Amino acid sequence: MYPTIFVIIGITGDLAARKLLPALLALYIKKLLPPRFAIIGFSRRAFSRDEFREFIRERLNVRPGEFHEEDIKHFLDHVSYEQGFFDNMPAYERLAGRLQEIDERWGQCSNKLFHLSVPPNLYETILTHLAASKLTLPCDDRTGWTRVLIEKPFGYDIETARSLDKLLGKLFDEKQIFRIDHYLAKEALQNILAFRFMNPMFEPMWHRDHIDKVHIKLFEKGSAEGRGAFYDKLGALKDVGQNHLLQMLALIAMNRPRTFGAEDIRAERAKILDKLVRLSAKELKKTAAKGQYAGYLAESGVAGNSQTDTYFRVVARINTPRWKGVPFYLESGKAMAESKAEIDVYFKSAAKHASPKKDGAAHQPADQNILTFRIQPDEGIKIKFFVKTPGYAFNVEPKTLKFKYADVTSFPDLPDDYERLINDAFAGDQTLFASTEEIMASWKFITHILEHWPEVTLTVYERGAKEIA
Ligand code: BG6
């Protein structure tokens, strides 16, 4: 593995503590980081060397006994800090000097990975300063690549997404840009492609002739507490609809890629997202639901009269011969009864296939077969099917075939989303990162909804609701 420096811009923020640092430590312990690697934090706060080390140690979120203290100490030896304001050119020059120093010490031009761990309104300032200080340039054509990792939200609407994309396009090649949608890194979500394309028995059924509807859900028990100011600007549709739910839809609906390489998979995901049908105001008002949990207005940072959605349900349609007429329900809410992400594929009812009984009366029609991809928790797959109830009469009842990752003793623990993402960014594999085409296609669909979103009635629901009418 080639020597690499991972620069976390905004290392003092919440994301670095919750996701990045624990993931980097786990990769280090699993020996998945290059032998020569360094992590440099860049942020506004001033620290002494010891204070910074202590600050990072706390944020590694290690459970008692999880790792050896020696390993943690060695990991911390790779982490250092450069203080600077995000709009201050000399700070970036100091950062560039620091990177150069490390390269000189290693006697090699290293790879550089920049992670923007900051609110999106700072992206432009940071990217332009990184570029101006030449930090975005690789050493030469063959050694020392630079890559940039961008977190969602990728813009607040199609216009801001487009201008961010334009800026990125000016500074980097597409192969250097890693746009994070951490849902793509979830093992059970990646498994959708394996399940669909490695089990030929399902593919002929994957069609409007046999599929009645698809229901994609992302429910969370957690509320917007603690991130009110940020969340209030977005709402559920933008926060998770524009990205996570549409990526789930893409994996369910896309055509078989030519190869299982990043380019082909991303291209197929983008193609299907591009075929999402624009919803008319009338259809939206008839079919969409929008909710806000009771008490949301009292969250700190939320406007007193906020109309922001913490729950939504919309019906997406895809204009392709395979999917014409099949509704894809997208539903997500915060402060719900349970946390779960799953996708139900409903097959057409057996009623139309049922042959009459000997006496001419119709059989009790079996209900629909349902194939469920459980994304989290209790990751797995289940299929609802029907069997004859033993006995003299011909009656059927539902049963379930189940596969749960946790039940397979030979399976390793499922990798954490961020471990997987960082690992792939090091390796240069963009399969689990959204392409510019995917981002634009999903924004196009969401923007059309947003145009009429205020016309959809906002329902207030109780915290802990199981479903919203
Ligand atoms: C994030 C959203 O992208 O995804 C959060 O901003 C949401 O609001 C989170 O809670 C859900 O991710 P996960 O992996 O916890 O299901």
Side-chain angles (χ1 to χ4, degrees):
M1 279 184 286
Y2 203 78
T4 304
I5 306 178
F6 194 92
V7 181
I8 304 180
I9 315 259
I11 196 163
T12 51
D14 174 57
L15 185 73
R18 271 188 310 112
K19 301 283 190 182
L20 294 177
L21 291 165
L24 283 160
L25 173 65
L27 290 170
Y28 175 73
I29 303 271
K30 292 177 186 165
K31 305 208 179 330
L32 291 172
L33 295 181
R36 279 186 166 166
F37 87 94
I39 297 170
I40 300 188
F42 181 81
S43 256
R44 291 168 285 209
R45 210 185 295 183
F47 289 106
S48 71
R49 225 179 126 102
D50 288 347
E51 279 166 355
F52 181 68
R53 198 176 161 102
E54 192 44 39
F55 177 84
I56 297 298
R57 172 69 186 88
E58 276 169 20
R59 271 159 183 73
L60 289 174
N61 249 327
V62 179
R63 292 189 301 275
E66 192 183 2
F67 301 125
H68 293 300
E69 203 46 46
E70 273 306 290
D71 287 338
I72 299 174
K73 271 196 200 132
H74 288 147
F75 173 78
L76 288 170
D77 292 342
H78 294 268
V79 191
S80 61
Y81 187 64
E82 190 59 57
Q83 189 260 334
F85 286 86
F86 298 133
D87 57 357
N88 178 253
M89 199 55 204
Y92 290 84
E93 281 156 5
R94 282 199 305 276
L95 179 63
R98 175 69 80 82
L99 298 186
Q100 205 182 335
E101 246 170 65
I102 298 179
D103 280 2
E104 279 163 14
R105 179 152 39 90
W106 288 346
Q108 221 168 346
C109 168
S110 62
N111 295 331
K112 321 275 182 320
L113 203 58
F114 295 91
H115 184 282
L116 270 56
S117 239
V118 294
N121 59 342
L122 292 169
Y123 286 174
E124 188 174 341
T125 309
I126 292 173
L127 288 167
T128 45
H129 281 79
L130 281 176
S133 56
K134 302 208 171 33
L135 276 161
T136 51
L137 298 179
C139 303
D140 59 53
D141 285 350
R142 282 166 304 118
T143 51
W145 47 249
T146 57
R147 294 181 185 144
V148 58
L149 281 152
I150 304 276
E151 287 288 338
K152 60 171 274 288
F154 196 85
Y156 290 103
D157 52 29
I158 196 152
E159 285 315 319
T160 46
R162 206 173 269 142
S163 78
L164 174 58
D165 207 52
K166 219 164 125 193
L167 176 68
L168 281 166
K170 230 168 48 191
L171 305 176
F172 300 97
D173 289 337
E174 179 67 17
K175 67 177 190 335
Q176 293 178 280
I177 308 169
F178 289 70
R179 300 175 193 82
I180 293 183
D181 180 326
H182 75 284
Y183 261 66
L184 284 173
K186 293 191 188 283
E187 185 66 37
L189 206 66
Q190 292 167 50
N191 188 43
I192 294 174
L193 290 192
F195 183 86
R196 285 190 52 201
F197 299 121
M198 302 299 157
N199 296 298
M201 64 191 270
F202 292 102
E203 191 56 14
M205 306 291 292
W206 222 249
H207 191 273
R208 60 190 294 240
D209 287 350
H210 302 287
I211 292 183
D212 180 39
K213 62 178 178 184
V214 176
H215 196 153
I216 303 176
K217 284 180 221 148
L218 194 180
F219 289 170
E220 295 178 274
K221 263 172 131 166
S223 65
E225 193 186 345
R227 40 195 306 250
F230 173 75
Y231 191 85
D232 204 37
K233 278 203 236 95
L234 286 176
L237 187 63
K238 289 186 186 181
D239 183 38
V240 297
Q242 180 270 332
N243 34 71
H244 308 331
L245 275 91
L246 286 181
Q247 284 293 356
M248 292 198 245
L249 172 146
L251 291 170
I252 292 290
M254 68 188 246
N255 282 344
R256 186 187 190 92
R258 207 172 49 85
T259 69
F260 285 89
E263 232 174 88
D264 290 331
I265 293 182
R266 286 174 15 134
E268 289 302 337
R269 289 198 311 243
K271 269 190 222 159
I272 209 78
L273 291 171
D274 200 45
K275 293 288 181 195
L276 285 166
V277 178
R278 175 184 194 142
L279 298 176
S280 70
K282 199 165 143 212
E283 191 176 2
L284 194 68
K285 272 198 267 180
K286 210 166 97 196
T287 56
K290 193 167 95 178
Q292 190 183 78
Y293 63 82
Y296 174 73
L297 297 180
E299 303 282 17
S300 144
V302 168
N305 57 355
S306 171
Q307 293 287 300
T308 295
D309 48 302
T310 62
Y311 166 90
F312 71 86
R313 189 176 61 236
V314 294
V315 188
R317 294 182 185 278
I318 304 171
N319 188 15
T320 62
R322 192 204 279 252
W323 294 116
K324 212 171 167 81
V326 180
F328 282 71
Y329 293 89
L330 308 177
E331 186 178 18
S332 180
K334 287 211 181 276
M336 303 290 286
E338 62 173 327
S339 290
K340 69 169 176 187
E342 70 182 15
I343 305 170
D344 290 318
V345 180
Y346 290 78
F347 290 87
K348 291 202 162 157
S349 159
K352 76 169 192 183
H353 305 297
S355 51
K357 285 184 182 174
K358 273 194 200 133
D359 61 9
H363 282 303
Q364 164 101 22
D367 195 11
Q368 293 172 280
N369 292 124
I370 306 172
L371 168 61
T372 302
F373 295 96
R374 179 74 170 201
I375 310 302
Q376 67 183 30
D378 303 326
E379 293 83 351
I381 293 177
K382 67 182 187 206
I383 299 177
K384 178 180 172 194
F385 67 111
F386 297 88
V387 297
K388 179 179 168 299
T389 313
Y392 298 112
F394 190 88
N395 289 326
V396 293
E397 59 185 85
K399 288 282 170 270
T400 311
L401 279 172
K402 271 194 201 139
F403 149 69
K404 263 172 79 172
Y405 284 82
D407 293 341
V408 185
T409 45
S410 60
F411 274 7
D413 288 344
L414 301 184
D416 168 82
D417 315 338
Y418 270 78
E419 281 178 39
R420 181 67 209 260
L421 290 170
I422 295 173
N423 183 65
D424 286 10
F426 269 78
D429 183 340
Q430 291 184 308
T431 314
L432 305 182
F433 297 86
S435 66
T436 178
E437 289 80 13
E438 290 171 82
I439 299 269
M440 288 308 151
S442 49
W443 266 123
K444 194 174 68 178
F445 175 69
I446 295 293
T447 302
H448 291 151
I449 299 180
L450 290 172
E451 278 164 18
H452 301 290
W453 207 219
E455 295 159 45
V456 178
T457 314
L458 185 78
T459 313
V460 174
Y461 60 95
E462 287 309 313
R463 280 167 183 263
K466 278 206 171 70
E467 52 187 35
I468 315 292

